[in-house]
Amino acid sequence: KLRLAALDVGTHDLKWWAPEILAKYPQGFYELHKILMQEAATKFNMDVDIIKFEPRKHEFPNPKDFDGAIISGCASCANDDEIWLENFRNWIRQNYSSIKLSGFSFAPQIVAVALGGTVAKNPKGTELSVVQIQLSEPFRQKFNLHSTPSYSIHVHHNDAVLTLPPGAQTLGGSKITQHLGWFQNDSILVFSGHPEYSYDPWILESLMLIEERDNMVPAQLIQYGLRDLYQPTDYKWQTELQLRWFAGEFDLCGTPSS
């Protein structure tokens, strides 16, 4: 049985940002990630336990007790100097070689900053709604994706990883964002794509309409994003790949030389 830690740093944001989402999903991102991983586990006849931790409350798993950790999205900037973020970055630095780290959106940013990469406002601006991610050759080699040049998923970010940490390889990118995720050996696999938004696009629609209302994102960009919001994506493929990675299927497999 796989035992995974859910590091939920985003549900707190929904309390002030979009409480209607919590009315539908009371446990927020933890609940959604649990649904997704358990659906994938059922497909592969696997058992998985997912235990919630809240780094905002200085809650962190003991790596010895878990096969991996999933970091949720978050409205904070990975570079912010809040105490909980500094504690989170320190925990990543101290434990990334002892527990598999994965997650979405905020995950590639916070892990990159913790390990020596750089994150800042995306030079080409906000990216949201459904995007097609062109997979890098190292990623395709590592995960045996010889016939999969790209995949589609929902994204929602203003910041971007501008430089990867030493030893990291890019997952791939789009015309707007160079690194829409990255990986490092068998210890880190982080995605910019939000599978929970693809699972229920209404969640992202709610956030986008709030951003338009509050002039957080230009209305034209919101309307452009809404056109493609309900397009089908490959979120199940991403979740299944993530689960198989946690289970060790790709360990030491096709690792590109650096």
Side-chain angles (χ1 to χ4, degrees):
K1 175 181 285 193
L2 274 180
R3 188 171 169 85
L4 303 177
L7 304 183
D8 188 343
V9 292
T11 298
H12 174 272
D13 299 322
L14 297 179
K15 295 177 182 178
W16 58 265
W17 193 7
E20 62 268 30
I21 295 174
L22 290 178
K24 186 172 183 179
Y25 300 103
Q27 297 182 80
F29 290 114
Y30 166 69
E31 179 178 349
L32 287 156
H33 296 159
K34 190 173 181 179
I35 290 170
L36 291 163
M37 293 303 289
Q38 289 182 336
E39 283 187 354
T42 298
K43 177 176 177 177
F44 292 103
N45 296 313
M46 297 169 61
D47 290 327
V48 58
D49 281 341
I50 303 176
I51 312 301
K52 180 180 178 179
F53 293 84
E54 294 187 70
R56 286 178 179 272
K57 298 179 180 179
H58 311 294
E59 298 174 359
F60 297 100
N62 183 336
K64 296 178 181 179
D65 298 332
F66 292 89
D67 298 294
I70 304 171
I71 301 169
S72 76
C74 180
S76 297
C77 174
N79 294 306
D80 285 351
D81 58 3
E82 295 178 64
I83 294 297
W84 76 267
L85 279 164
E86 184 54 41
N87 289 339
F88 195 8
R89 292 188 290 262
N90 285 335
W91 182 86
I92 291 168
R93 291 185 197 105
Q94 294 165 7
N95 295 286
Y96 78 96
S97 61
S98 303
I99 185 172
K100 289 188 169 190
L101 294 180
S102 191
F104 319 105
S105 189
F106 181 67
Q109 299 172 15
I110 187 74
V111 181
V113 170
L115 300 182
T118 58
V119 171
K121 292 297 181 186
N122 194 345
K124 294 187 178 180
T126 297
E127 189 172 36
L128 48 75
S129 197
V130 177
V131 300
Q132 193 78 17
I133 299 176
Q134 301 298 318
L135 296 174
S136 71
E137 188 58 31
F139 186 82
R140 293 174 66 194
Q141 289 181 21
K142 170 67 176 174
F143 293 94
N144 300 320
L145 301 172
H146 307 297
S147 60
T148 307
S150 65
Y151 78 105
S152 63
I153 191 120
H154 286 82
V155 299
H156 183 222
H157 52 250
N158 299 305
D159 293 349
V161 177
L162 301 188
T163 58
L164 296 169
Q169 301 261 10
T170 189
L171 178 151
S174 68
K175 294 179 179 179
I176 303 297
T177 306
Q178 181 179 6
H179 303 299
L180 284 170
W182 57 275
F183 69 103
Q184 184 172 319
N185 301 321
D186 297 316
S187 59
I188 299 170
L189 174 61
V190 281
F191 304 91
S192 292
H194 278 273
E196 72 277 19
Y197 294 166
S198 292
Y199 170 78
D200 186 354
W202 168 84
I203 299 170
L204 183 53
E205 180 179 20
S206 300
L207 297 175
M208 289 167 64
L209 292 175
I210 291 169
E211 290 173 330
E212 181 181 32
R213 180 197 70 196
D214 295 345
N215 296 314
M216 299 168 69
V217 175
Q220 185 177 13
L221 180 58
I222 294 292
Q223 292 304 314
Y224 179 81
L226 289 173
R227 293 190 312 182
D228 296 329
L229 188 67
Y230 284 86
Q231 293 293 317
T233 74
D234 301 307
Y235 78 94
K236 290 185 178 181
W237 175 88
Q238 178 182 292
T239 305
E240 291 164 7
L241 184 78
Q242 182 187 35
L243 179 68
R244 292 161 61 204
W245 177 78
F246 275 130
E249 182 175 333
F250 304 102
D251 288 3
L252 304 177
C253 175
T255 304
S257 58
S258 55

